[in-house]
Amino acid sequence: MNLTPKDIQKLIRTAVQTRKFAFVPRSNHKVGASVLTRGRKIFGGCNVESVISGLGTCAERHAIDHAIAHGEYTIRAMCT
């Protein structure tokens, strides 16, 4: 599957939009990510930190988990 300019625009837009939901009380460094699945669906994710050191989720993993939770198991592209 080739990425179209429209796919790239949507991936970037989704990553930027989901970044605002990041929960980063320790670092204050918000990250957003997005993935494009084989079904051409786009899912976003953000980083989530915990006040307990070492616990948290990176934005990329969150986006992948979001896709899997919606039944999409093949990732074709990612944007961070």
Side-chain angles (χ1 to χ4, degrees):
M1 169 175 64
N2 293 328
L3 287 178
T4 66
K6 190 174 182 177
D7 291 332
I8 295 168
Q9 293 271 336
K10 285 181 180 180
L11 280 166
I12 293 169
R13 189 177 325 115
T14 300
V16 169
Q17 288 173 343
T18 57
R19 179 175 56 200
K20 66 183 172 190
F21 299 111
F23 179 71
V24 290
R26 296 183 65 110
S27 71
N28 201 32
H29 181 74
K30 295 183 175 190
V31 179
S34 59
V35 294
L36 174 69
T37 66
R38 180 172 54 187
R40 299 202 81 81
K41 294 179 182 176
I42 294 179
F43 296 91
C46 60
N47 58 326
V48 178
E49 296 176 351
S50 173
V51 293
I52 301 171
S53 182
L55 294 178
T57 307
C58 68
E60 297 84 357
R61 183 172 180 172
H62 190 187
I64 292 168
D65 290 348
H66 190 189
I68 290 171
H70 285 85
E72 295 286 334
Y73 300 100
T74 304
I75 305 301
R76 295 295 186 189
M78 177 179 279
C79 175
T80 304

